[in-house]
Each structure stands twice: as C-alpha cells, then as structure tokens.
Amino acid sequence: MARTPVLAAGGIVLRRDAPQRFAVVRLRKRNEWVLPKGKLDDGETPRAAAEREVLEETGHDVEVHEFLGTVVYDSGGRSKVVHYWRMDAGGKPVRALMSDIREVDWLSLDEALDRLSRGYERAFLENVGPIALQAAANAERERRARARVAAAERRRSRVVEEEPGVDTPAHPEAPTVAEIPAVAEASVDAKTPVAVDTPAPAEVPVMAETSDVAGAPAADASEESPSSAREIESVATAVRPIPRRNLIERVRDWLRRAA
C-alpha cells in the first residue's frame, strides 16, 4: 500500500543585491547544502509554510512572489513533494537560524549550482534560476518607476504648497459697489423747460415784401424788441417767409419788364 507523500514548501530566495544572489543553507546533521524548505504544519497552506520555513532557515524576512514549480523525490521510502515560490529577502537578518541549520550563504546562480549537494535540486534551480532572475529584474524596474513617479508627485505637491495664495473675487468681471460712480437723482418737472447748451443759429436774412404781409405793421427801428413770451409769439405769427414760388415768379416778371 502506497504511503502518503510528505508535503513541503520552500523558496528560491534572492537577496536584493547587485548582482542578485541565491540563498543556500547548510544542514547541521548531514552537512549538505540545500535549498531552504520544510514540511507543512497541520492546517498550514504550502505558501504560508514556504514563507515560514525560509524565515527560520535563512533568518531573513521575505516577500513571496510567483510560484516557480514543484520537485518530487524519494525520502526515506516516501515521496516528498516540495513546492517553491520566488522570494525576495531583506538586507539584514531579523532572527537567528533554526537549530537544524548550520549556516546560510548567498551565491550567484553558477556558484549556487556548484554548491548544492543534491542533483534534483541542482536540476530544478538550473531551470527556474534564470526565470527568477528575470522576474526579479522586471519587478525592480517597476519598483524604481513607481518610486520616480511618487517622487515627482511629492515635488509637485511641495511646489503647490509653497506657492503663495492668490485671492480672486468670485466674479472678477463685475465691479464692486465702491467702483460704481454714484449718480445723483434729479427730479424733472414735465412743465419746467430744460435748458440745453446749444450753439446759437447763424442769423439768416429774410427777404420779404411788405405788400405780401397781410396786416403786418411797419417795423420801427426805434422800438425795443419784445421781451415777453406773448409778444414774441405774436411777432413770430405775423412775420412769415414769402413762398419760394411767388418770389421766383416775381423775379421773372421783373426781368421780362426790364428787357
């Protein structure tokens, strides 16, 4: 009867260096160099177990990223299934190594392949190592791009905060009450004449024959001009201009007689 396989999880762990390096750990009992991994606890998910085991075996807090693959091999007469995720480790360790681990080392891909003691782990890392490096490089470029955008946003925010405030009226085109000149109200009586300054008309001589003015008294040069509005009205009514047609006919008659 087949025995239940042992479930384990681990990480292909890269430290944020230039160039980036892979974590390999040295077992205390067997003195072997292996990839960091460990068995799942009861009720634990493979991903959670991978993060916990890497922290215990490397001493570094990590960020878990994409799933890279599974390695299956025989261990003590039972199949052991190990799931691996790509992980990023912080710069400094945050805890001591667990008792089963003697030391941890950070190596380039080629150095890690030479250091690993087990052939199936070397084969797995040889296949997924370049994928992990490329994914980490892409993630680093995206992180730097986001950092540049965030820095630009902070600079713009500081510039806006440092600019002095400008008070603008709610309606800039509308003058305020103080700007409108006051207009004095004047009551005008309809019966009161309004004096308007207009230039005096030029004096035009009027040619008239006394015989055409019916009932018009002869003007006396020695008499004073009327001063009252009634006298002015009577004079204006009595003196009327000679129609233009009668004058032209009389001139023609005079010319015929003179000829």
Side-chain angles (χ1 to χ4, degrees):
M1 183 176 179
R3 301 175 64 181
T4 304
V6 177
L7 299 180
I12 304 300
V13 188
L14 288 165
R15 192 169 62 182
R16 300 187 187 100
D17 291 334
Q20 292 182 329
R21 298 179 180 275
F22 293 84
V24 292
V25 297
R26 187 180 182 185
L27 301 177
R28 186 174 296 276
K29 293 181 179 180
R30 297 183 181 183
N31 198 28
E32 292 179 329
W33 288 94
V34 298
L35 296 172
K37 61 186 178 300
K39 293 186 293 185
L40 276 64
D41 290 339
D42 292 339
E44 192 175 30
T45 64
R47 188 180 186 280
E51 184 175 3
R52 176 185 57 78
E53 286 289 342
V54 169
L55 173 62
E56 292 174 352
E57 293 191 359
T58 66
H60 287 261
D61 197 6
V62 294
E63 292 182 6
V64 183
H65 300 289
E66 66 274 5
F67 177 75
L68 291 178
T70 302
V71 176
V72 181
Y73 58 94
D74 182 73
S75 176
R78 299 176 64 180
S79 295
K80 191 170 184 176
V81 179
V82 187
H83 303 292
Y84 286 94
W85 279 263
R86 181 177 72 87
M87 301 183 185
D88 286 337
K92 295 181 179 181
V94 297
R95 55 158 290 171
L97 301 179
M98 64 181 302
S99 59
D100 292 345
I101 303 300
R102 179 176 295 180
E103 63 178 311
V104 59
D105 203 357
W106 299 89
L107 306 172
S108 67
L109 179 58
D110 291 339
E111 292 172 339
L113 292 173
D114 292 339
R115 183 74 61 89
L116 289 174
S117 302
R118 301 173 181 177
Y120 55 84
E121 289 192 347
R122 285 197 302 270
F124 180 71
L125 182 61
E126 187 176 7
N127 284 278
V128 302
I131 298 174
L133 287 172
Q134 185 62 49
N138 294 340
E140 181 64 17
R141 283 194 294 269
E142 292 178 3
R143 185 190 66 82
R144 292 181 179 180
R146 289 194 299 268
R148 287 193 296 269
V149 171
E153 291 293 336
R154 288 193 296 270
R155 287 194 296 269
R156 281 195 291 268
S157 298
R158 286 196 297 268
V159 169
V160 172
E161 291 175 358
E162 291 173 0
E163 287 182 353
V166 179
D167 296 332
T168 56
H171 301 284
E173 297 181 356
T176 60
V177 176
E179 295 174 352
I180 300 175
V183 179
E185 296 182 357
S187 59
V188 179
D189 188 358
K191 298 180 180 181
T192 305
V194 180
V196 180
D197 294 334
T198 55
E203 294 182 357
V204 179
V206 179
M207 297 179 62
E209 294 185 4
T210 55
S211 60
D212 292 341
V213 179
D220 188 358
S222 61
E223 293 181 0
E224 296 180 356
S225 61
S227 58
S228 63
R230 183 175 298 175
E231 293 174 351
I232 293 174
E233 183 177 358
S234 61
V235 171
T237 304
V239 178
R240 300 181 185 277
I242 300 174
R244 183 177 181 83
R245 182 178 178 182
N246 295 339
L247 178 60
I248 293 174
E249 291 178 354
R250 290 177 181 275
V251 171
R252 286 176 180 174
D253 294 340
W254 181 80
L255 290 175
R256 283 195 296 270
R257 289 195 298 271

